[in-house]
Amino acid sequence: MVSDDPAVIGRYLRAAGDSDAEALAACFTPGGFVVDEDKKYEDHDEIVRWRRELAGKYVYTSKLTGADVLWVPIDARSSTLAR
């Protein structure tokens, strides 16, 4: 399942910037996972643990420079692509 809510990207970046592992993990859907350094972290608790273990291990910055719409839901009323 993929979230169709682009606001989740902002929530993820804010949580990462605030070092809030719980809020970051809440951005993932049930069944969501992270693969980092060839290790898979599944479910909320593992993602929280992964994020907390990273704290202090690396220093990085991130900046959202753009976004692309990968799909557009069908407008059920007119059976055409929503604009």
Side-chain angles (χ1 to χ4, degrees):
M1 178 176 161
V2 176
S3 173
D4 62 347
D5 179 3
V8 73
I9 296 167
R11 289 193 307 271
Y12 179 93
L13 292 173
R14 274 189 302 282
D18 292 343
S19 299
D20 187 342
E22 288 287 339
L24 185 136
C27 294
F28 289 81
T29 59
F33 61 90
V34 172
V35 177
D36 185 31
E37 297 182 348
D38 296 323
K39 185 168 180 352
K40 187 174 183 179
Y41 302 89
E42 299 180 81
D43 80 38
H44 180 87
D45 291 341
E46 282 192 11
I47 293 171
V48 168
R49 188 169 37 258
W50 161 75
R51 219 28 220 201
R52 287 182 177 157
E53 287 173 359
L54 285 179
K57 190 174 181 182
Y58 302 103
V59 175
Y60 68 94
T61 60
S62 60
K63 179 179 179 182
L64 182 60
T65 60
D68 291 317
V69 175
L70 299 178
W71 62 275
V72 178
I74 300 290
D75 183 337
R77 293 171 290 158
S78 64
S79 297
T80 60
L81 288 177
R83 300 205 194 284

